[in-house]
Every structure is written in structure tokens, then in C-alpha cells.
Amino acid sequence: MTKHKSPINFDKTIAGFNITENGIKSYTKSIKLGPFQLTLNARESGVRGSISIPGTGLSKRNIKII
């Protein structure tokens, strides 16, 4: 059975925690390594990451870490 969707969505990131109306969904941390930025996202399905060059819009997303 599918879960009933609420008419108003709540989605907020506080101190790296992504909080929705259903509770905490993930934790995100970004680290700058020289000219690159590494972003890690931990959630129930595992840890995924992305690497990008800030300010250019260039990135490689959904890199499976764990």
C-alpha cells in the first residue's frame, strides 16, 4: 500500500541533515580538495558522492562509495 502524500511538503537542510515531513532522510557533507569539491551523501541505501569544480557547473554525480 502506498503512503498518502501530504498536501504541503516540508524539506529543509539543517546542519547537513535533510529533514522532511517524514523525518530525517540523509546527511550531506562537502569537502574542498584543492580546485575540486567532494560531496558525500549518506542515507539508508548507502553512501554516494559527487565531485565537482565549484563555479563551473561541471560535476560527476552518483558515485557509489559504500
Side-chain angles (χ1 to χ4, degrees), residues 16 27-42 47-54 58-60 63 65:
Y27 177 74
T28 303
K29 178 69 179 171
S30 294
I31 304 166
K32 183 137 180 170
L33 300 169
F36 301 105
Q37 182 172 347
L38 176 66
T39 302
L40 300 173
N41 188 0
V47 178
R48 294 198 171 259
S50 68
I51 190 160
S52 64
I53 303 173
L58 299 174
S59 68
K60 172 65 177 147
I63 303 168
I65 308 289

Side-chain angles (χ1 to χ4, degrees), residues 10-28 41-45:
F10 176 77
D11 192 356
K12 180 80 174 170
T13 301
I14 301 172
F17 290 96
N18 182 6
I19 303 168
T20 68
E21 65 265 15
N22 297 320
I24 297 174
K25 294 297 178 190
S26 65
Y27 177 74
T28 303
N41 188 0
R43 55 184 164 213
E44 288 181 10
S45 61

